[in-house]
Amino acid sequence: MNRPTTYFEHGTAAERWARARLFFDAKEYATAARILEPLAGEVPEQPAPRLLPARAYCHSAQLSRAERELRAILERRPVEDYAQLMPGRSLERLGRPGEARPYLRTAAAMAGDFAE
């Protein structure tokens, strides 16, 4: 069954990215995530199309989705410092501080913030 297309799905990847950024900048995070979700699947090797929807998920309190995206990013690029920080914050908000701790420590170390 073919589902109807929406305005969000029209255009090139670059046009959809720009549209999603407009929604993100307008703090319409859930809408930005809807636009970005298919883009992440089109270029799974690139972290940016996954990082922005993860941020949108975090801002719109879709923390489990954010966690899923961030884990996918870190599987491919464990050196993404912001992608290390975000799951830590998301897991804290989900009430899972023990799981958050390693991500937060790694992010702090990558930022040069070593505990004394």
Side-chain angles (χ1 to χ4, degrees):
M1 176 182 210
N2 292 340
R3 67 183 184 119
T5 59
T6 64
Y7 163 76
F8 303 134
E9 297 167 332
H10 289 282
T12 65
E15 290 168 337
R16 289 179 286 150
W17 175 264
R19 186 177 307 123
R21 288 295 316 202
L22 290 172
F23 280 101
F24 188 91
D25 292 343
K27 298 184 183 212
E28 295 288 335
Y29 302 116
T31 303
R34 279 183 44 208
I35 297 167
L36 291 163
E37 230 171 48
L39 284 174
E42 291 176 24
V43 285
E45 69 282 355
Q46 294 181 13
R50 289 199 104 121
L51 194 54
L52 191 58
R55 290 177 57 204
Y57 290 141
C58 284
H59 287 303
S60 61
Q62 298 178 60
L63 301 174
S64 294
R65 285 183 170 177
E67 179 186 1
R68 181 190 71 229
E69 286 298 322
L70 293 162
R71 287 183 191 271
I73 293 167
L74 291 172
E75 280 179 22
R76 292 181 180 272
R77 298 218 24 200
V79 296
E80 284 291 326
D81 57 341
Y82 195 61
Q84 289 286 350
L85 176 65
M86 286 178 55
R89 297 289 183 231
S90 296
L91 289 165
E92 281 181 331
R93 288 175 65 190
L94 285 167
R96 295 161 45 194
E99 290 178 65
R101 207 167 292 117
Y103 291 106
L104 297 173
R105 283 186 189 144
T106 301
M110 292 174 94
D113 183 15
F114 299 102
E116 295 189 30

